[in-house]
Amino acid sequence: MDFGFKANVKLILDLDYGKTINKADKIELYNAVSKAAMKTLGKDWGLNTDKKKVSYLSMEFLIGRMIYNNLYNLGLLDEFKELMNENNIDINIFEDIEDAALGNGGLGRLAACFLDSAATLGYVLNGYGIRYKYGLFKQEFENGFQKELPDDWQSFGDPWSVRREEEKVRIEFKDQSVYAVPYDMPVIGYGGKTVNTLRLWQAEATKPFDFELFNNQQYTEAAKNKNEAEAISSLLYPNDSTEEGKKLRIKQEYFFTSATMQDVIRRFKEKHGTAFCNIPKEYAFQLNDTHPVFAIPEFIRLLVEKEGVSFEDAFRIAKKTFAYTNHTIMAEALEKWNVSLIQSVIPHIYEYIVLINKELVKELNEAGISDAEKKKYLIIEDDTVHMARLAIYVSHSVNGVAELHTEILKSRELKEWCQLYPERFNNKTNGISQRRWLALSNKELSDFITDKIGDAWITDLDQLKRLEMFAFETDVIKEFEKIKQVKKRQLADYILKHEGVKIDPDFIFDIQVKRLHEYKRQLLNAFSVLDIYFGLKEGRIKDFYPTVFIFGGKAAPGYYRAKAIIKYINEIAGMIAADPEVRDRLKVVFVSNYNVSYAEKIIPAADVSEQISTAGTEASGTGNMKFMLNGAVTLGTFDGANIEIVGQAGMENNYIFGARVEDIEKIKDTYDPLGIYQNNPRIKRVVDTLIDNTFDDNGTGIFKELYDSLLKGASWHKPDQYYLLLDFMSYCETKMQVNTDYKDRLSFRKKCFINMVNAGKFSSDRTIRDYFNEIWN
Ligand SMILES: *Cc1c(COP(=O)(O)O)cnc(C)c1O
C-alpha cells in the first residue's frame, strides 16, 4: 500500500520513535524523511542489470549532504517543503546534518558529480570506495590557527546506506585478515528513473568479539584484532599525496580494490559462468587516479588462482577492462611504493606485479627499446613500484582531465608512454553537475533561467546558450544583477552567523575557496590584498571599489606551510578589520570548515572567482567551473580548465594574467626571486611582513619559514618554486582592472552573464557521455 511520501514520513516517525512530526527532533525527522524517500526506490540499484556496468573505483567520494539532493532528484523536494510548511518547520532544518566528507577536494567531488551525471543519463555506473568512519576533519580556528576536529559524519545516523551483510568478502594481508562489508547508497538520477549504487566497504574483524566467552588473554587478542581490522576503514587520509602511515595506506588501497574485484567476479560468474573473456563486454573498470591501481594485479590474481584462467588470458582481459584517469601533472608527484613495503603488507600481490613487469620487459624488448630507455617504463625500478606505470601498462585508456593537462602528459611527463601507446592517450575535461551546483544551490538563478528558456538545461546544460541573446537586454542584466545581490546578502547573513564576521553585501565579493596548497597560491592572493592595503594607506590607490576577499579551505594537518598561510591570512584579516582608515573599503574573511555545503552557499554569491595556480600545476580544477556556472568572472592564470573556460566565454569576459606554461619553461633555470624582491619595493614591502613583526605567529617561526621558502628555498626545492613573485605585478594590475571594471556595473554583470551562458561544456553530463562513448563503449 502506498500512503504517499508525506504520509510515510509521519508513519515512520510514529513506528520508529512513537512521535508526531511536531514532537520529533531534527535527527528523528532526518531519518524518517530519508527512509520515506528510500521506500520509493526499487530493489535493483544497478549492480545486477544486464547493461554494461562501469565500476568507478575511487579512494574518495566527496558527496556532501545527501538529503536535499536526493529529494530533488526524486522529485520529492516540493512535497517535502509542503510538509515542513504545514508543520511550521524550517525547510533548512537539515543544514547541520554533517556532510559526508569522504574526500579531500576536487578528485573526490569529481567522483560524486560523475555518479550524479551517469544516473541522470541512465547509464550504469557504480562507485566503489571506502566507508570511512571519520571523514575529512572539521576545521576551526583558534587564534587564527587551524585546529582539526574529528568528523563523525554518522552521528546523525546513516539512513541513506544499506548494509549488505550477506555480500561481505574476506581480504587477506600478510599477517591479517579482515572482512569487507558493503554499505550501499542509492545514487538517484534526476527524475528518479535510474538508481545506481555507491558501494562503500567497511573493514571488520573476522573473529567474533563477545567478551563473555573469553578469558583475559583471548579478550585482549580479540580486542586487538578488532581494532586493527577497523583501523583500515577508520580514517580518510587528509591529503591526496601523503607520506604518512604508508602501510595503512597500502592496506586501505588493497582493501577496497580487492573487495571490489571479488564482488564483480562473483556477480559475473552468477550471470555468465566462467566465460571470463566476456568480462570486458559486461564491465569497465575506471581507476580514479592511482590509488585503486592494486585492483589490476588483484583482478589477474583472482582469475588465475581462484578461477584457473591462464596468466596470459587474465592479463589480456584486464587490459581490455581497465582504464586509468591521471590527475597529477608532475611526474615526481606520481604515486610510488617501496618494494619491501608492499612485500610486508601484500606479498601475494607483489608476485603479480613482478609477473606484469616481466610482460612489460618482453614487450619493450620486442619494440626495440634500448636498455637506457627501458628504465623510464619499468613498473619495478630498482626497489620502487611505480603505480602510474602499472596503470598505464595494463589499461586500454589513459586520460588527463583538461586539454592542457593531457597535452603536458603526452608531450612531457608521460612522453615515453605516449610514444609507445599513442592510441591509449585521450582527454576528458572534468565537469560538474548542474543539478547540485545550480538547480539546488542557486534556486533564484535557476528560476530566472527556467523562466526564460524552460527547464531543459537541468539535463542539457548547452541550453544555456539560448540565453545569450539576453546579454544585450539591460532589463534582463538588471534582473540578473538583482539575483546576485540576493545571493550576496544570503551569504553575508550566513557568514555573520557562522564566523561572527560582518560583511557588506554591496562590496565586491572576490573569492578563493579550495584546499590550501602552495601551488594554488593563496599566499599570492594574500600578498595582493596587502599590496592593496598599503596602496590605500599611502594614497597610491584611489577610487577603490570596496571589496571583501573571502577565503576558505583546509590544510592537511601535517602540511605546516599551508597552515602557516591560513594563520597569515587570518592575521591580515585582523589587521585590516582593526584599521578604521581602510576597513570601510577593504575586508578579509577566512571562513572555517569549507566543504561541499559551504561551497553551495559561497559560490552563487561570487563576483570574482580566484583561480590563480602556477601555470602547469592545476590539472583541471572544478571549482572554476562552479563559479562560472553561477555567473562569476574568472581572475586566473592560463592553467588547467581556466583555458577552456576562457575559450568558451571569451578572454574579454575574464581576467587572465601571469606567466604561461611555456614562459615558465623558458625562465625556470635562471629564475631569481631574490632579485625581484630586492628590486621591487612593493613586493619587498609585502613579503617583508612575514619577518618584520607586522604580524604575530606566536613565536612559532612559521612566517619566517614562508619567507625563506620564497627567497632561499629548502633542501627539497628552489626558492619560490611556484613563481609567486614572478606573477605578482601582473596579478595586482589585473586585480585592479577588475576593480575598475566593476564600477560600470551593467557591463561587468554582462561579463558574468556571458560566462554563465557559456558554461554548457562544463557539465559533468558531457564528461560522462564522453567517457561512455570513447572509453567504456
Ligand atoms: C569543487 C570543490 C573542490 C575543488 O575545487 P578546486 O578549486 O577545483 O580545487 C574542493 N572542495 C570542495 C568542497 C568542492 O566543492
Side-chain angles (χ1 to χ4, degrees):
M1 228 186 313
D2 182 16
F3 295 97
F5 174 68
K6 290 200 279 182
N8 262 330
V9 172
K10 292 180 189 167
L11 191 65
I12 292 168
L13 280 170
D14 185 31
L15 287 175
D16 285 6
Y17 308 106
K19 287 192 179 173
T20 62
I21 188 160
N22 288 109
K23 289 272 155 40
D25 69 23
K26 188 180 296 183
I27 295 178
E28 290 161 348
L29 193 58
Y30 169 64
N31 280 279
V33 170
S34 306
K35 271 193 185 175
M38 287 280 268
K39 273 187 188 296
T40 67
L41 305 176
K43 279 271 172 295
D44 182 59
W45 296 355
L47 291 172
N48 291 315
T49 135
D50 293 330
K51 287 201 209 166
K52 184 157 187 182
K53 294 163 282 298
V54 178
S55 305
Y56 194 82
L57 280 74
S58 179
M59 196 84 171
E60 303 186 15
F61 287 91
L62 193 52
I63 41 193
R65 194 175 292 134
M66 278 165 282
I67 185 157
Y68 295 117
N69 193 71
N70 283 350
L71 292 176
Y72 176 74
N73 280 1
L74 283 169
L76 293 173
L77 196 56
D78 289 335
E79 263 182 85
F80 163 74
K81 287 179 180 171
E82 269 170 38
L83 181 66
M84 296 298 105
N85 288 335
E86 286 161 14
N87 292 280
N88 293 314
I89 303 170
D90 180 1
I91 56 164
N92 297 317
I93 180 163
F94 301 138
E95 293 230 322
D96 34 80
I97 301 296
E98 295 294 343
D99 276 25
L102 310 183
N104 284 293
L107 175 144
R109 185 55 230 174
L110 181 75
C113 282
F114 280 2
L115 292 177
D116 182 79
S117 282
T120 295
L121 295 172
Y123 293 125
V124 185
L125 178 146
N126 299 307
Y128 289 88
I130 297 177
R131 186 171 190 258
Y132 301 103
K133 171 113 180 51
Y134 297 98
L136 186 59
F137 65 87
K138 281 202 278 188
Q139 179 195 56
E140 283 182 6
F141 298 131
E142 207 171 66
N143 185 25
F145 289 100
Q146 170 175 295
K147 195 174 133 196
E148 298 105 25
L149 304 168
D151 166 43
D152 189 6
W153 67 281
Q154 292 167 29
S155 64
F156 295 88
D158 180 17
W160 295 100
S161 291
V162 181
R163 181 182 167 100
R164 309 270 189 210
E165 182 74 32
E166 68 288 358
E167 298 195 3
K168 71 182 175 193
V169 295
R170 240 182 128 96
I171 312 293
E172 304 290 345
F173 302 99
K174 184 172 182 206
D175 46 17
Q176 186 182 18
S177 53
V178 302
Y179 281 131
V181 184
Y183 279 73
D184 289 355
M185 286 181 179
V187 177
I188 303 159
Y190 179 76
K193 277 209 278 298
T194 300
V195 180
N196 291 326
T197 298
L198 171 57
R199 170 159 281 200
L200 299 177
W201 300 98
Q202 174 167 294
E204 295 182 13
T206 49
K207 297 200 187 106
F209 183 73
D210 181 352
F211 68 92
E212 287 188 19
L213 297 174
F214 296 141
N215 64 31
N216 243 345
Q217 195 198 334
Q218 283 171 321
Y219 175 83
T220 313
E221 263 171 36
K224 186 163 169 268
N225 177 276
K226 180 173 185 289
N227 287 339
E228 284 174 358
E230 290 173 5
I232 293 173
S233 59
S234 171
L235 284 181
L236 167 78
Y237 276 81
N239 190 335
D240 12 20
S241 57
T242 182
E243 286 291 307
E244 276 162 59
K246 289 182 172 166
K247 265 194 181 176
L248 188 57
R249 174 79 176 189
I250 290 180
K251 276 189 186 173
Q252 288 190 324
E253 293 187 359
Y254 180 62
F255 168 75
F256 91 96
T257 52
S258 171
T260 304
M261 292 298 105
Q262 291 185 55
D263 191 58
V264 170
I265 292 173
R266 178 182 60 74
R267 271 171 214 286
F268 179 85
K269 275 167 64 185
E270 276 170 12
K271 267 213 153 103
H272 307 280
T274 55
F276 296 110
C277 57
N278 289 326
I279 289 180
K281 279 190 216 141
E282 281 286 311
Y283 283 95
F285 303 144
Q286 190 70 32
L287 305 173
N288 194 25
D289 214 331
T290 53
H291 321 132
V293 168
F294 288 126
I296 293 173
E298 174 67 353
F299 175 77
I300 294 174
R301 187 188 72 87
L302 289 169
L303 288 186
V304 171
E305 292 182 6
K306 310 276 181 203
E307 311 299 343
V309 177
S310 73
F311 177 82
E312 289 68 29
D313 285 347
F315 179 80
R316 243 193 315 271
I317 296 168
K319 203 181 256 187
K320 283 191 196 154
T321 318
F322 280 96
Y324 158 58
T325 302
N326 174 291
H327 288 268
T328 318
I329 297 196
M330 308 294 194
E332 63 269 21
L334 293 171
E335 192 181 6
K336 313 188 237 318
W337 296 109
N338 217 285
V339 165
S340 57
L341 199 67
I342 295 183
Q343 279 174 321
S344 73
V345 183
I346 40 174
H348 54 300
I349 290 304
Y350 183 68
E351 279 176 37
Y352 280 83
I353 298 176
V354 170
L355 291 175
I356 294 167
N357 194 49
K358 275 193 186 141
E359 279 306 303
L360 169 66
V361 171
K362 234 192 299 179
E363 222 175 295
L364 293 174
N365 286 338
E366 282 161 17
I369 309 272
S370 73
D371 279 354
E373 282 291 295
K374 241 185 253 170
K375 271 184 98 60
K376 293 187 196 161
Y377 295 91
L378 296 181
I379 295 166
I380 306 171
E381 186 194 4
D382 301 325
D383 55 0
T384 305
V385 174
H386 293 262
M387 301 296 274
R389 296 178 189 174
L390 176 53
I392 299 166
Y393 180 51
V394 198
S395 285
H396 61 92
S397 162
V398 178
N399 74 282
V401 291
E403 284 164 14
L404 175 72
H405 172 223
T406 302
E407 279 319 305
I408 292 176
L409 291 181
K410 294 205 298 199
S411 64
R412 212 171 72 193
E413 305 302 324
L414 299 174
K415 185 174 163 194
E416 58 282 356
W417 285 100
C418 187
Q419 283 163 354
L420 197 58
Y421 307 121
E423 71 291 347
R424 276 183 208 179
F425 284 79
N426 64 91
N427 176 249
K428 296 287 168 284
T429 298
N430 282 167
I432 56 166
S433 160
Q434 68 268 32
R435 268 85 54 197
R436 168 114 18 191
W437 296 108
L438 181 54
L440 207 59
S441 62
N442 197 343
K443 179 146 186 356
E444 294 82 355
L445 187 55
S446 300
D447 289 348
F448 163 90
I449 294 167
T450 298
D451 183 56
K452 305 254 172 316
I453 58 165
D455 66 1
W457 60 271
I458 296 171
T459 51
D460 175 12
L461 198 60
D462 287 328
Q463 295 280 331
L464 292 185
K465 194 80 183 168
R466 292 172 51 207
L467 289 164
E468 198 154 41
M469 59 186 181
F470 293 112
F472 300 93
E473 288 188 25
T474 306
D475 288 350
V476 175
I477 299 299
K478 280 189 173 156
E479 210 184 324
F480 179 66
E481 159 77 20
K482 277 212 182 93
I483 290 166
K484 189 60 88 177
Q485 288 310 321
V486 169
K487 299 315 282 183
K488 287 167 77 169
R489 220 169 301 130
Q490 288 171 359
L491 179 62
D493 291 344
Y494 192 83
I495 287 179
L496 180 61
K497 193 161 154 218
H498 287 260
E499 318 298 334
V501 176
K502 200 165 173 203
I503 59 181
D504 185 340
D506 290 332
F507 279 31
I508 297 174
F509 281 23
D510 180 309
I511 305 183
Q512 186 175 23
V513 284
K514 47 184 73 240
R515 272 181 311 124
L516 246 293
H517 202 290
E518 287 166 278
Y519 86 80
K520 292 179 182 279
R521 299 202 296 190
Q522 284 94 347
L523 184 57
L524 175 62
N525 191 349
F527 283 157
S528 80
V529 174
L530 272 179
D531 182 63
I532 291 170
Y533 174 77
F534 292 134
L536 291 171
K537 298 281 280 186
E538 290 161 1
R540 168 168 53 81
I541 299 175
K542 298 178 187 72
D543 300 328
F544 182 73
Y545 198 99
T547 303
V548 54
F549 293 95
I550 300 173
F551 292 84
K554 296 175 185 175
Y559 189 177
Y560 293 103
R561 273 191 195 158
K563 292 170 103 170
I565 294 167
I566 291 179
K567 169 66 176 165
Y568 183 63
I569 294 169
N570 278 325
E571 284 289 304
I572 295 172
M575 178 183 75
I576 293 173
D579 188 337
E581 227 178 4
V582 290
R583 68 183 175 205
D584 56 343
R585 285 169 291 168
L586 189 61
K587 181 108 199 162
V588 174
V589 54
F590 203 124
V591 303
S592 57
N593 203 39
Y594 176 65
N595 60 10
V596 171
S597 291
Y598 218 142
E600 290 171 24
K601 301 209 174 304
I602 291 176
I603 291 168
D607 296 305
V608 184
S609 157
E610 296 261 4
Q611 307 297 338
I612 61 175
S613 53
T614 314
T617 63
E618 186 77 88
S620 161
T622 50
N624 46 6
M625 302 167 184
K626 300 167 196 165
F627 280 101
M628 179 197 200
L629 181 60
N630 281 274
V633 298
T634 298
L635 168 55
T637 46
F638 219 59
D639 196 24
N642 296 353
I643 298 171
E644 290 161 71
I645 285 177
V646 171
Q648 296 296 302
M651 275 290 226
E652 68 284 8
N653 296 307
N654 288 288
Y655 295 85
I656 301 301
F657 69 92
R660 299 188 174 201
V661 174
E662 55 277 19
D663 301 327
I664 292 176
E665 203 61 42
K666 268 185 229 139
I667 59 125
K668 70 176 184 205
D669 294 327
T670 56
Y671 181 53
D672 175 24
L674 189 62
I676 297 178
Y677 162 85
Q678 284 163 341
N679 292 313
N680 184 321
R682 271 167 63 190
I683 291 182
K684 184 162 189 317
R685 177 103 194 250
V686 297
V687 174
D688 280 348
T689 62
L690 288 166
I691 51 156
D692 65 6
N693 290 321
T694 306
F695 301 120
D696 186 1
D697 64 7
N698 283 35
T700 53
I702 52 176
F703 291 170
K704 172 70 165 54
E705 208 281 325
L706 282 181
Y707 178 86
D708 288 342
S709 78
L710 294 172
L711 300 178
K712 293 189 185 153
S715 58
W716 69 94
H717 72 80
K718 293 197 224 172
D720 193 16
Q721 61 176 331
Y722 295 110
Y723 302 94
L724 278 67
L725 306 194
L726 178 69
D727 282 347
F728 180 83
M729 291 307 286
S730 151
Y731 179 45
C732 289
E733 275 162 30
T734 312
K735 211 166 205 173
M736 289 313 298
Q737 188 62 49
V738 175
N739 196 272
T740 303
D741 289 359
Y742 191 84
K743 290 170 200 156
D744 183 352
R745 187 76 62 87
L746 225 48
S747 128
F748 184 86
R749 213 49 90 192
K750 187 173 147 194
K751 291 179 202 250
C752 294
F753 187 83
I754 293 174
N755 272 280
M756 177 188 76
V757 307
N758 286 293
K761 174 177 177 185
F762 303 105
S763 168
S764 46
D765 298 350
R766 186 269 310 150
T767 316
I768 276 293
R769 202 175 280 118
D770 288 349
Y771 273 90
F772 265 93
N773 291 334
E774 294 159 26
I775 300 179
W776 304 326
N777 300 311

